[in-house]
Amino acid sequence: MRLSELSERSGVSTATIKYYLREGLLQPGRRVSATQAEYDDTHLRRLRLVRALIQLGKVPVATAREVIAAAEDESLDHHLRLGAATWALPTGPEPDEDDPEAAAAGRTVSALLQHVGWRHDQELGELSPAYRTLVAAVAALRRLGYPCGVAHLLPYARLAGQLAVTDLDLIEEQPTKAGQIEAAVALTVLYEPVLLSLRRLAHSEESARRFTDTDEA
Amino acid sequence: MRLSELSERSGVSTATIKYYLREGLLQPGRRVSATQAEYDDTHLRRLRLVRALIQLGKVPVATAREVIAAAEDESLDHHLRLGAATWALPTGPEPDEDDPEAAAAGRTVSALLQHVGWRHDQELGELSPAYRTLVAAVAALRRLGYPCGVAHLLPYARLAGQLAVTDLDLIEEQPTKAGQIEAAVALTVLYEPVLLSLRRLAHSEESARRFTDTDEA
């Protein structure tokens, strides 16, 4: 297909496609004349991954380039290729190393992961962006005196484990491995507001159930 | 207690406390001399709520003033007072009314809430900020061609329902109604990064379980 059709089918403007070509995020098409190139389904798939990383995930171009290299490296297993893609996504604030609460929060998070048996996450520990964000979030709770011990966090970790099964089922609906990597990035990002807004709606429902005066119900 | 002690015990600087006093977010202390006022535990509790709204929740001052009025209005039942406080918190993007996907997303969200039986949220519907954010998030998924039908969203809604039970249990640990309102604001905000980072850690664990080559495990 020509550039115009690639743009139409991907929903990415021709100007943006040309930018991705210049930045090496999209492999060049097969040249058919001095001014025209021919693109195929591999370009369409790559564009979906690039769009998921840059437009949805807000990943910087240089990082996106590394992620694409890892995602397409067939010597890595599928888990590592998915991980390379999702690790690049921005997370929340980092823990402040000088904060004494960060050290205590780190011990809580480590005990929590041991408790739920997330062997893999424990090994990666401090290297993992999500692990570091979790430590920062628990440190903030500690600093302000809100409940955040292992016993408080455990139900959230268990529910997150169930969410991950649902999420990975959704990702595995994609028929190709490349499609799964792209879906992992897009769905990680796009389902965050779904989850947070459903949580708030559920709060309202649960609060009505517990606290509405019976004579008004 | 004097202003300096109120500052020390609340962790809010004296300059910020004076600003809250000027803006009418904190009730004046009992004047004991031309230059000094005396504060008590009601000021300490109010400061925790103001801090939760403004510093954690990023709620504008004028909105915080309205929230405090509702939170302290004893003619309202506890559910409405909690709702007034958490509805003021910022959510994600709003749906674009001109987007045809927003209308279809609205029908999906409505069918989803009917399916889980969240009667209360259905009645409030479009008025609720979380409802509107959910519609916008589903519209984005539709526009990009990712799975987001009622069948896909249902497991997330069910898990959100379980999360809400855990969250409300945590909020009810606070002994006073005023403390519960303040905790509802703070925990809604502070547990969002906890939940999102646990979800990402759980992804990594679940992906390792499904996709790591057995000879490397």
Side-chain angles (χ1 to χ4, degrees):
Chain A
M1 71 191 91
R2 296 296 152 88
L3 186 65
S4 56
E5 189 186 343
L6 183 65
S7 165
E8 208 167 291
R9 287 181 60 189
S10 64
V12 179
S13 72
T14 55
T16 303
I17 294 177
K18 284 179 184 167
Y19 169 68
Y20 291 163
L21 283 165
R22 275 199 308 278
E23 289 291 334
L25 294 165
L26 183 65
Q27 68 276 29
R30 190 173 51 83
R31 201 145 278 295
V32 288
S33 78
T35 55
Q36 284 195 318
E38 183 72 19
Y39 301 91
D40 58 28
D41 282 354
T42 63
H43 293 90
L44 205 51
R45 277 199 300 272
R46 173 71 75 83
L47 261 187
R48 285 177 62 100
L49 175 56
V50 172
R51 185 190 59 179
L53 286 166
I54 293 187
Q55 291 179 16
L56 305 177
K58 316 285 181 212
V59 169
V61 166
T63 313
R65 212 182 282 119
E66 289 167 33
V67 167
I68 288 165
E72 308 221 325
D73 182 349
E74 309 218 339
S75 73
L76 298 176
D77 70 21
H78 193 44
H79 167 64
L80 290 176
R81 290 160 73 189
L82 282 173
T86 54
W87 272 37
L89 297 172
T91 55
E94 291 274 306
D96 174 357
E97 305 296 347
D98 296 333
D99 177 5
E101 297 298 349
R107 288 190 294 275
T108 301
V109 168
S110 166
L112 175 69
L113 296 188
Q114 196 150 4
H115 209 298
V116 284
W118 295 358
R119 181 182 56 79
H120 188 77
D121 289 324
Q122 280 179 71
E123 282 166 18
L124 296 169
E126 293 284 303
L127 291 171
S128 149
Y131 188 103
R132 296 172 59 80
T133 305
L134 180 57
V135 170
V138 172
L141 283 159
R142 287 183 61 92
R143 219 165 22 241
L144 295 164
Y146 292 108
C148 58
V150 172
H152 292 107
L153 295 169
L154 199 52
Y156 293 91
R158 294 229 165 91
L159 285 165
Q162 293 177 47
L163 269 173
V165 173
T166 303
D167 286 334
L168 269 287
D169 286 348
L170 212 57
I171 289 165
E172 284 206 85
E173 279 188 15
Q174 303 297 320
T176 65
K177 298 245 166 182
Q180 289 180 12
I181 292 167
E182 170 238 317
V185 170
L187 295 174
T188 297
V189 174
L190 292 170
Y191 267 78
E192 288 187 348
V194 169
L195 182 60
L196 295 184
S197 49
L198 280 170
R199 173 176 176 247
R200 293 214 192 166
L201 289 172
H203 280 167
S204 163
E205 193 70 22
E206 180 67 16
S207 159
R209 203 181 63 72
R210 295 192 191 199
F211 303 126
T212 304
D213 293 343
T214 330
D215 57 347
E216 287 180 20
Chain B
M1 72 191 91
R2 297 294 153 91
L3 187 66
S4 56
E5 190 185 344
L6 183 64
S7 165
E8 207 166 293
R9 287 182 58 189
S10 64
V12 178
S13 71
T14 55
T16 303
I17 294 176
K18 285 179 184 168
Y19 169 69
Y20 292 163
L21 284 165
R22 275 200 308 277
E23 290 290 334
L25 294 165
L26 183 65
Q27 68 275 30
R30 190 172 52 82
R31 200 145 280 295
V32 289
S33 79
T35 56
Q36 284 197 317
E38 183 71 18
Y39 302 90
D40 59 28
D41 282 352
T42 64
H43 294 90
L44 204 51
R45 276 200 299 272
R46 173 71 75 82
L47 261 187
R48 284 178 62 99
L49 175 57
V50 173
R51 184 189 60 178
L53 285 166
I54 292 187
Q55 291 179 13
L56 304 177
K58 316 284 182 215
V59 169
V61 166
T63 313
R65 213 183 281 117
E66 291 168 33
V67 167
I68 288 165
E72 308 221 324
D73 182 348
E74 308 218 339
S75 75
L76 298 175
D77 70 20
H78 192 44
H79 166 64
L80 290 175
R81 291 160 72 189
L82 282 173
T86 53
W87 272 37
L89 297 173
T91 54
E94 290 274 306
D96 176 357
E97 305 295 346
D98 296 332
D99 177 4
E101 298 298 349
R107 288 191 293 276
T108 301
V109 169
S110 167
L112 175 71
L113 296 189
Q114 196 150 2
H115 209 298
V116 284
W118 293 359
R119 183 182 55 78
H120 188 77
D121 289 324
Q122 278 178 73
E123 283 165 17
L124 296 169
E126 293 283 304
L127 292 170
S128 148
Y131 188 103
R132 295 172 60 79
T133 305
L134 180 56
V135 170
V138 173
L141 283 159
R142 286 182 62 90
R143 219 164 23 241
L144 295 165
Y146 292 108
C148 57
V150 172
H152 292 108
L153 295 168
L154 200 53
Y156 292 91
R158 294 231 164 91
L159 286 165
Q162 294 177 46
L163 269 172
V165 173
T166 304
D167 287 333
L168 269 287
D169 286 348
L170 211 58
I171 289 165
E172 284 207 84
E173 278 188 15
Q174 303 297 319
T176 64
K177 298 244 169 184
Q180 289 180 12
I181 292 168
E182 170 238 317
V185 170
L187 295 175
T188 296
V189 174
L190 292 170
Y191 266 79
E192 288 187 348
V194 169
L195 182 59
L196 295 184
S197 50
L198 280 170
R199 174 176 175 249
R200 293 212 192 167
L201 289 172
H203 280 168
S204 161
E205 193 70 21
E206 181 66 17
S207 159
R209 204 182 61 72
R210 294 192 192 198
F211 302 126
T212 305
D213 293 343
T214 331
D215 57 347
E216 285 181 23

